[in-house]
């Protein structure tokens, strides 16, 4: 019979002494157990030594379940991919829809749409409420990549391990494909969102428009272009670029999910701050990877920022300084989730950690 270490709960010598006394005297092995440890409802005659467990043994027998981030991402990304495939079907004019689908369905981690869905579910909504917005955000993100890769912008030949859109379809069609995705994104939210009040849909559309206009993505892109080759720029200039160029759309994804899911104003603003932190985090990590990984590892052209003499975090802070900043941004982001239900917040916490530790 295996023994259990009862620590101070049972005084061993006392048990032995009482056991050797007269058989006429009843023996109670639990006599020395502190009364505070015994529930008044417990039948002491049926309580055996093997039933008494230490705190550590109880925790080992009942481990806290862990969040399976990989399965979550695969399941959500697969659902998003199916929704994207259905929303932008191959129809006339065939050429433009081929170009749109070529970049939209080229893969990618679907971080933005998953953020949108996770935020919606965190505040009490369900996936169906956020799916049209999640798809719209991915359409806009794809538009920005198509246009970024054009010769008049970054002039890239490779995206997600494949030739860029303009290399396959020509510059003219690539520009129009991006334009079409941008326009259809707003149409898709307006006509496909269900189970959400009209007021929240309108608010979500306004938020999305703001995140990609001259207060968002476009502003960041313009300042980024103008910063090339300039020597007198500092960390504030870099933060402006990426708060608008990168973080704004990630912020839009999270905020749209929170709005459509029925979040309170306070919840929406906490999630907005969370998203701004992970948006900058995404760019800091992206800058680090650009100078530490190969084109094959990244699936896109590596070292392009260095060649273009662009302002980056490693250029200003060095690799180690950039890594320290990434760690702080991740910590600040997760702090915004501390007052939410932690089980429901698990996907967003895991997404923040994923962004911080991604390798491509």
């Amino acid at each position: 019979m295996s023994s259990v270490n009862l620590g101070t709960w049972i005084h061993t010598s006392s048990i032995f002494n009482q056991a050797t006394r007269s058989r006429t005297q009843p023996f109670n092995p639990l006599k020395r157990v502190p009364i505070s440890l015994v529930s008044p409802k417990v039948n002491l005659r049926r309580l055996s030594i093997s039933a008494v467990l230490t705190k550590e043994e109880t925790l080992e027998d009942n481990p806290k379940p862990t969040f399976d981030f990989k399965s979550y991402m695969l399941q959500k990304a697969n659902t998003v991919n199916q929704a994207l495939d259905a929303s932008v079907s191959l129809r006339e004019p065939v050429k433009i829809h081929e170009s749109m689908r070529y970049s939209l369905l080229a893969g990618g981690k679907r971080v933005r749409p998953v953020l949108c869905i996770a935020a919606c579910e965190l505040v009490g909504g369900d996936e169906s409420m956020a799916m049209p917005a999640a798809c719209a955000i991915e359409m806009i993100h794809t538009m920005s990549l198509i246009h970024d890769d054009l010769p008049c912008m970054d002039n890239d030949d490779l995206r997600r391990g494949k030739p860029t859109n303009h290399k396959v379809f020509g510059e003219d069609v690539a520009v129009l494909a991006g334009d079409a995705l941008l326009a259809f994104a707003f149409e898709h939210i307006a006509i496909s969102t269900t189970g959400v009040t009209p007021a929240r849909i309108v608010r979500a559309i306004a938020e999305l428009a703001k995140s990609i206009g001259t207060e968002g993505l476009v502003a960041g892109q313009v300042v980024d272009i103008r910063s090339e080759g300039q020597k007198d720029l500092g960390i504030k200039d870099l933060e402006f670029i990426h708060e608008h160029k990168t973080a704004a759309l990630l912020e839009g994804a999270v905020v749209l999910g929170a709005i459509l899911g029925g979040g309170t104003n306070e919840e929406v603003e906490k999630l907005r701050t969370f998203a701004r932190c992970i948006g900058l985090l995404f760019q800091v990590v992206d800058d680090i990877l650009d100078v530490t990984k190969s084109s094959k590892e990244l699936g896109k052209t590596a070292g392009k920022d260095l060649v273009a003499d662009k302002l980056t975090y490693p250029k200003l802070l060095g690799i180690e300084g950039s890594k320290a900043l990434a760690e702080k941004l991740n910590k600040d982001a997760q702090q915004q989730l501390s007052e939410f239900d932690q089980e429901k917040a698990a996907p967003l916490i895991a997404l923040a950690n994923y962004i911080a530790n991604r390798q491509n």
Side-chain angles (χ1 to χ4, degrees):
M1 178 177 179
S2 62
S3 61
V4 178
N5 179 13
L6 300 178
T8 60
W9 289 12
I10 298 177
H11 193 288
T12 307
S13 61
S14 178
I15 292 175
F16 177 79
N17 291 335
Q18 293 192 46
T20 56
R21 289 179 185 176
S22 170
R23 294 182 181 180
T24 61
Q25 185 178 1
F27 169 53
N28 180 3
L30 294 172
K31 184 177 180 181
R32 297 299 296 271
V33 177
I35 192 66
S36 61
L37 298 179
V38 181
S39 168
K41 297 181 179 180
V42 174
N43 186 339
L44 297 183
R45 293 181 179 178
R46 295 185 179 182
L47 184 62
S48 65
I49 292 176
S50 61
V52 182
L53 299 177
T54 65
K55 181 179 179 181
E56 290 75 19
E57 288 170 323
T58 303
L59 290 175
E60 288 174 2
D61 290 344
N62 300 283
K64 185 178 179 180
T66 56
F67 178 69
D68 190 342
F69 176 65
K70 184 176 181 181
S71 295
Y72 178 87
M73 283 297 292
L74 286 172
Q75 186 268 318
K76 292 296 186 187
N78 183 55
T79 305
V80 169
N81 286 334
Q82 291 177 21
L84 288 170
D85 187 25
S87 63
V88 183
S89 59
L90 190 59
R91 57 188 185 273
E92 293 292 341
V94 173
K95 192 72 170 179
I96 190 66
H97 287 100
E98 283 181 339
S99 180
M100 292 165 69
R101 287 172 59 84
Y102 176 81
S103 293
L104 186 63
L105 305 178
K109 296 172 273 295
R110 307 307 189 201
V111 170
R112 290 159 189 82
V114 174
L115 280 169
C116 182
I117 294 167
C120 178
E121 293 176 333
L122 175 58
V123 298
D126 58 57
E127 182 180 277
S128 63
M129 293 177 174
M131 186 57 74
C135 289
I137 288 161
E138 193 67 5
M139 291 174 197
I140 292 172
H141 174 57
T142 301
M143 171 278 295
S144 72
L145 299 182
I146 293 173
H147 286 181
D148 272 355
D149 292 337
L150 290 169
C152 64
M153 300 288 275
D154 291 347
N155 194 22
D156 264 324
D157 297 337
L158 194 67
R159 172 69 66 179
R160 291 171 177 166
K162 298 168 62 177
T164 47
N165 198 291
H166 68 273
K167 284 293 180 181
V168 177
F169 296 95
E171 290 181 45
D172 49 0
V173 173
V175 170
L176 293 171
D179 293 344
L181 285 168
L182 177 61
F184 184 62
F186 289 96
E187 177 186 343
H188 192 56
I189 294 178
I191 67 174
S192 299
T193 304
T194 58
V196 181
T197 64
R200 286 189 178 273
I201 295 174
V202 171
R203 183 181 172 189
I205 289 173
E207 281 280 351
L208 184 56
K210 185 177 179 180
S211 73
I212 62 175
T214 55
E215 293 183 55
L217 190 152
V218 169
Q221 186 69 54
V222 168
V223 177
D224 187 30
I225 292 170
R226 294 290 177 262
S227 73
E228 291 182 22
Q230 293 192 32
K231 306 298 182 184
D232 58 344
L233 299 176
I235 192 68
K236 293 297 181 184
D237 301 291
L238 187 59
E239 284 182 356
F240 178 90
I241 291 169
H242 295 306
E243 279 177 356
H244 294 77
K245 180 182 176 182
T246 305
L249 193 53
L250 281 163
E251 178 184 325
V254 173
V255 170
L256 259 66
I259 290 171
L260 296 170
T264 65
N265 289 338
E266 183 181 1
E267 288 173 331
V268 170
E269 292 312 308
K270 280 186 177 294
L271 288 170
R272 186 190 300 279
T273 303
F274 164 82
R276 285 178 180 172
C277 289
I278 64 168
L280 282 177
L281 173 62
F282 191 96
Q283 188 60 51
V284 173
V285 173
D286 207 55
D287 284 358
I288 294 170
L289 294 176
D290 188 61
V291 295
T292 59
K293 298 291 183 179
S294 67
S295 296
K296 183 178 180 180
E297 289 172 313
L298 295 177
K300 61 182 180 180
T301 307
K304 62 179 183 179
D305 291 339
L306 188 64
V307 172
D309 196 23
K310 281 190 175 182
L311 192 63
T312 66
Y313 286 99
K315 186 175 181 180
L316 284 179
L317 305 177
I319 296 295
E320 293 307 314
S322 299
K323 288 180 178 179
L325 176 58
E327 185 177 344
K328 182 182 184 303
L329 287 167
N330 189 14
K331 182 179 179 180
D332 291 346
Q334 295 193 36
Q335 181 61 36
Q336 298 301 314
L337 303 176
S338 61
E339 295 181 14
F340 288 94
D341 181 307
Q342 291 302 286
E343 186 175 345
K344 289 184 177 180
L348 290 177
I349 293 170
L351 274 162
N353 287 329
Y354 166 75
I355 290 171
N357 298 299
R358 67 193 179 93
Q359 298 299 309
N360 58 30

